[in-house]
Amino acid sequence: MADKPEYKLWGGRFAEPTDALMQRINASIGFDRRLWVQDIRASKAHAAMLARQGVISSEDAKAILEGLRRVGEEIAAGGMEWRESLEDIHTHVEARLKELIGEPAGRLHTARSRNDQVATDLRLWILDTGRELDQALVEYQRALVNLAERHRAAIMPGYTHLQRAQPVLFAHHMLAYVEMAWRDRGRLADCLARASVLPLGAAALAGTTFDIDPASVAADLGFKNIFANSLDAVSDRDFAAEFLFTLALIQTHLSRLAEELVLWSSQEFGFVALSDAFSTGSSIMPQKKNPDAAELIRGKTGRVMGDLVSLLTVLKGLPLAYNKDLQEDKEPVFDAAGTVLDCLRVMAPMLLNVTVREDSLRRAAQGGFLNATELADYLAARGVPFRQAHEIAGRAVRLAESTGRGLEQLGLDEYKNLDSVIEQDVFEVLDPSHAVNRRVSPGGTASRNVEAALMEARKRLWPESD
Ligand code: ARG
């Protein structure tokens, strides 16, 4: 048997009590209680509007607003008793309001339904959490820029196919992630702008017979727009899906960086050492220091993507307008937002505390014939067609490799044998810093570009220090 239904929003029509298991799967209070702040805020705005419009008396509105304030205080103080039988956050707030103020509580639900109410609450929650997320993205970007600035001259191998390709600045590599985060923030802002539409006033699905004023409620709650179609207003979860996609892509970017940190902190790479605060040991192998934080960030990407797929799947078969399936929208949203916020907040200090082994980076940039392109470009600049230059540089690599040397260790006579246009100045070109600094093309890795990019990032991310 279910709990005694001490307060039911829909008891009138029913003769038998709810089945206990039905009550359990029906209840969303276990997760939607997180919406209490938004639920109370929206109810206050609704009650105030009803009074302004003369739908309820100003005395009733006063009692409701004061009562809602007290309910909020109680919940904040941990004083609310959450019960499965009260289904969801909306019922809990209303039931407690009724206990506190009596009859006027029953007028709060005039001209609204839980359908438009829950859509309003979730939009408000996403708007609030979106702002927190943007701030966490800023902190993450700042950590990347700080790390880049700390190692502004460090050269490392740039990779394609995870094979050493051409030398790049470590700072350039970090700034690539800053770019991803700018796009993430842009996507977040776009999706929040589209979420900023008030659905309250759509009522159950068709609108209401009462003379309501949704525009004033929107203004009160900070929504930029109001809904245009009541059916759409109660069944639209695009904003949640977009939010989840934005989160999934942020997490994907974090995961790529996490993967690099895992690789780089291995003995095979030895590019970085992660601080103890973001590592763990092994219960059996005393020498181990494992990059768990980075691995978890990488691993949690699975659940965030799952959250997106989960919501899209819930939505795909739904007829208009509200269906109870939509109650399944909240857990993915809460889970993904919480996970991404945590991961951003772990990644930022982890980056600030990473030790970068500039000597290892440089050594790696010197091995692996990363200067082979320089040699080919050198020849091409002296009139050798690039295809041929490529071939000659390839032969130089073969010669150096077979004798266990780098390109910079071949003799001028050996170079002359390969092509007579090669002169002593080839050795300058073969130096990795030379290779880096000649890449002055827009967005290239030359110090000059990277310094300008760092300065620009500083200006955008620390505007107050101008
Ligand atoms: N807990 C519900 C949800 O999250 C609230 C809306 C319920 N509406 C209804 N008609 N039963 O979707």
Side-chain angles (χ1 to χ4, degrees), residues 165-184:
Q166 290 175 354
V168 295
L169 286 182
F170 173 80
H172 196 52
H173 196 110
M174 290 300 118
L175 284 170
Y177 284 99
V178 176
E179 287 302 317
M180 295 176 223
W182 284 122
R183 292 195 296 278
D184 289 331

Side-chain angles (χ1 to χ4, degrees), residues 277-297:
F278 298 98
S279 310
T280 64
S282 157
S283 57
I284 175 167
M285 298 163 285
Q287 85 284 8
K288 288 294 285 291
K289 184 165 145 183
N290 299 325
D292 289 37
E295 291 171 283
L296 284 165
I297 291 171

Side-chain angles (χ1 to χ4, degrees), residues 190-426:
D190 288 349
C191 118
L192 295 183
R194 264 188 299 279
S196 191
V197 175
L198 176 80
L200 198 63
L205 75 162
T208 172
T209 54
F210 292 96
D211 175 26
I212 57 166
D213 179 21
S216 69
V217 178
D220 194 348
L221 293 174
F223 283 102
K224 285 208 206 77
N225 292 300
I226 62 168
F227 69 98
N229 178 299
S230 61
L231 294 169
D232 183 44
V234 289
S235 68
D236 169 25
R237 293 294 182 276
D238 292 6
F239 64 98
E242 280 190 59
F243 185 58
L244 282 174
F245 173 73
T246 304
L247 289 168
L249 200 48
I250 294 171
Q251 189 68 26
T252 301
H253 292 152
L254 286 177
S255 184
R256 295 183 74 169
L257 179 55
E259 163 69 5
E260 297 206 300
L261 291 174
V262 171
L263 282 175
W264 292 354
S265 62
S266 70
Q267 284 186 35
E268 282 66 18
F269 275 82
F271 287 179
V272 301
L274 299 173
S275 76
D276 289 356
F278 298 98
S279 310
T280 64
S282 157
S283 57
I284 175 167
M285 298 163 285
Q287 85 284 8
K288 288 294 285 291
K289 184 165 145 183
N290 299 325
D292 289 37
E295 291 171 283
L296 284 165
I297 291 171
R298 190 177 58 185
K300 283 176 188 295
T301 309
R303 64 191 294 156
V304 178
M305 289 176 178
D307 290 328
L308 169 63
V309 173
S310 154
L311 179 64
L312 290 173
T313 312
V314 166
L315 296 178
K316 74 174 263 298
L318 293 188
L320 292 182
Y322 179 84
N323 300 271
K324 192 63 173 259
D325 314 45
L326 289 172
Q327 180 162 289
E328 295 291 315
D329 61 357
K330 282 172 274 305
E331 282 168 293
V333 167
F334 295 155
D335 180 69
T339 302
V340 173
L341 267 172
D342 280 353
C343 289
L344 283 167
R345 287 170 178 164
V346 166
M347 185 59 101
M350 181 159 64
L351 289 171
L352 289 173
N353 289 293
V354 82
T355 307
V356 177
R357 309 225 141 103
E358 294 197 17
D359 50 331
S360 311
L361 292 178
R362 178 162 268 277
R363 229 177 298 120
Q366 264 155 357
F369 304 104
L370 272 74
N371 43 9
T373 314
E374 302 322 298
L375 179 56
D377 283 356
Y378 173 89
L379 288 160
R382 273 152 196 77
V384 182
F386 187 78
R387 278 290 146 241
Q388 206 178 316
H390 184 283
E391 169 73 25
I392 296 166
R395 271 191 267 135
V397 168
R398 186 140 44 92
L399 172 65
E401 196 174 35
S402 65
T403 51
R405 290 175 293 170
L407 285 178
E408 63 288 350
Q409 290 164 318
L410 296 181
L412 183 57
D413 48 331
E414 289 173 297
Y415 274 121
K416 283 274 183 212
N417 268 341
L418 285 164
D419 195 305
S420 58
V421 301
I422 302 179
E423 299 293 345
Q424 182 63 34
D425 61 354
V426 75

Side-chain angles (χ1 to χ4, degrees), residues 9-10 26-29 31-32 35 87-91 113-119 122 204 234 237 322-330:
L9 300 180
W10 40 267
N26 190 38
S28 51
I29 191 60
F31 47 88
D32 71 10
L35 295 174
E87 274 189 63
D88 53 26
I89 185 61
H90 326 296
T91 314
S113 142
R114 277 184 297 162
N115 299 351
D116 54 347
Q117 193 181 355
V118 73
L122 190 59
V234 289
R237 293 294 182 276
Y322 179 84
N323 300 271
K324 192 63 173 259
D325 314 45
L326 289 172
Q327 180 162 289
E328 295 291 315
D329 61 357
K330 282 172 274 305

Side-chain angles (χ1 to χ4, degrees), residues 4 23 56 137 164 213 240 249 289 305 341 365 433 442 448:
K4 183 174 140 284
Q23 176 168 295
I56 63 173
L137 279 163
R164 290 179 194 170
D213 179 21
L249 200 48
K289 184 165 145 183
M305 289 176 178
L341 267 172
S433 14
R448 209 218 285 170

